[in-house]
Amino acid sequence: MNCASYAAMNPEHPTNLGADLRDDLRAVLAFYVEAGVDVLLADEPIDRFVAQAPHPTAAAPDLTAPDGPDDLPAPPDEVPPRLPPAGRPPLNRAGNGGIPRFGAGPSPATLDAPAAPDAAIMAAREAATRASSLEELRTILDRFEGCGLRVTAKRLVFSDGNPAARVMFVGEAPGREEDLEGLPFVGRSGQLLDRMMAAIGLDRTGAYIANVIPWRPPGNRTPTPQESQICLPFIRRQIELADPDILVCLGGPSAAALLGIREGIRKARGRWHVYHSGTREIRAIASFHPAYLLRTPLEKRFAWRDFLAIKKALAE
């Protein structure tokens, strides 16, 4: 059956809708994409505010009944498998609680459900320790199945720039553009970061760039504490292998994860800290995330002071 025949047999096919309705649907989809809603997680919406009915439990067997074969209760009728609604194929499911997998990456058939948080954190620590180079760490991270974010992300966002550079910038997590390209800081915030680096004589050949979380959270939501803890061993090992002279934490979540700062980025920024990489002490400083500066341009003057401090430290 060709497309024209299929459309003729289905009144709800997009080609049979009015022009105004098609334009409205396009506008709604564009709004969803701009809002970060671009990942389908289930067949139907689920109202999680409604209490779920408990699963019926099987009745306890009567231990006093005779154990002859003729006295056994008849087996319950078999329940036929639930079929998808007519006209709609079933979603291709991954192993992460039924979440579908979209985009490039591991095949859903090969993904298992993520391990419990404690077990996943321990597995991440062991896996990160095995990496003897940044390329090996990237390969290990690409195969790591302990974090559920990899199921909905399109690509692993590992790093960009020069691993041998003296300064390393670390953000929180990739956004939509980064997820599409597989590189950190390539959207609007990345363009601003490029301009900020250029103002102190740096570009991506003279800096190394990464994120605490290497996979985009669905809808650009904030990563959970468990997700951050699972990914933390990998970014720590990445910093240890890159071995920069200066570490720049962009944003409060990055500063909290790597430097243990809990007082907020506005109070923490602009001050030098010591980051213990495991092999040596590295000078570290926190500054505003470029995405925050796009929303709050007046704070750029403070970020400029932070970058001047970085420039001075690189000249020493």
Side-chain angles (χ1 to χ4, degrees):
M1 180 184 297
N2 58 33
C3 295
S5 301
Y6 179 80
M9 295 174 61
N10 292 271
E12 296 182 356
H13 192 273
T15 58
N16 294 323
L17 301 178
D20 292 341
L21 182 55
R22 286 201 303 270
D23 292 341
D24 290 343
L25 291 175
R26 289 193 186 99
V28 171
L29 290 176
F31 169 78
Y32 284 154
V33 170
E34 289 295 327
V37 184
D38 58 0
V39 178
L40 180 65
L41 297 181
D43 287 333
E44 303 291 343
I46 300 174
D47 188 351
R48 301 191 184 277
F49 292 96
V50 177
Q52 300 294 324
H55 294 287
T57 56
D62 186 359
L63 300 179
T64 63
D67 55 359
D70 296 334
D71 298 318
L72 294 176
D77 294 335
E78 291 187 1
V79 179
R82 184 178 178 182
L83 298 177
R88 184 177 66 189
L91 287 174
N92 192 8
R93 296 289 184 183
N96 184 21
I99 297 177
R101 167 72 171 166
F102 295 92
S107 170
T110 64
L111 293 179
D112 297 324
D118 290 343
I121 293 172
M122 292 302 298
R125 291 173 181 171
E126 295 175 2
T129 304
R130 292 197 302 268
S132 59
S133 67
L134 289 170
E135 190 60 36
E136 186 175 351
L137 180 65
R138 181 191 184 105
T139 301
I140 292 174
L141 191 54
D142 197 35
R143 297 174 180 174
F144 183 72
E145 298 183 359
C147 183
L149 291 177
R150 75 189 298 269
V151 179
T152 53
K154 291 179 173 60
R155 302 182 65 176
L156 171 71
V157 181
F158 185 69
S159 67
D160 193 18
N162 182 4
R166 294 184 58 205
V167 59
M168 179 174 180
F169 295 89
V170 179
E172 180 186 13
R176 180 174 179 270
E177 291 81 3
E178 289 78 10
D179 188 35
L180 292 174
E181 296 194 28
L183 295 172
F185 288 93
V186 295
R188 291 183 61 213
S189 61
Q191 295 169 10
L192 178 56
L193 178 60
D194 288 342
R195 294 196 296 270
M196 294 166 67
M197 289 193 300
I200 61 171
L202 291 176
D203 58 20
R204 299 209 176 203
T205 63
Y208 188 52
I209 306 172
N211 282 306
V212 174
I213 309 291
W215 296 285
R216 180 201 180 197
N220 289 349
R221 65 164 172 79
T222 301
T224 66
Q226 292 81 7
E227 291 164 348
S228 297
Q229 288 299 313
I230 291 171
C231 296
L232 189 57
F234 293 107
I235 185 60
R236 287 192 178 277
R237 184 60 174 159
Q238 192 172 355
I239 295 171
E240 181 181 358
L241 292 171
D243 196 27
D245 293 331
I246 297 174
L247 176 65
V248 183
C249 297
L250 297 174
S254 174
L258 297 176
L259 304 179
I261 295 174
R262 297 292 183 267
E263 57 185 341
I265 189 61
R266 296 196 68 183
K267 293 183 178 180
R269 54 141 296 274
R271 301 204 309 261
W272 287 103
H273 303 263
V274 175
Y275 175 81
H276 300 274
S277 68
T279 56
R280 71 181 181 109
E281 294 182 348
I282 298 175
R283 297 184 67 185
I285 190 172
S287 188
F288 292 119
H289 195 286
Y292 172 77
L293 296 176
L294 289 173
R295 300 190 301 269
T296 317
L298 288 177
E299 303 284 15
K300 289 182 179 180
R301 64 187 188 275
F302 297 112
W304 173 238
R305 297 175 188 174
D306 301 338
F307 272 65
L308 287 178
I310 295 169
K311 180 180 181 180
K312 181 179 179 181
L314 289 172
E316 294 177 355

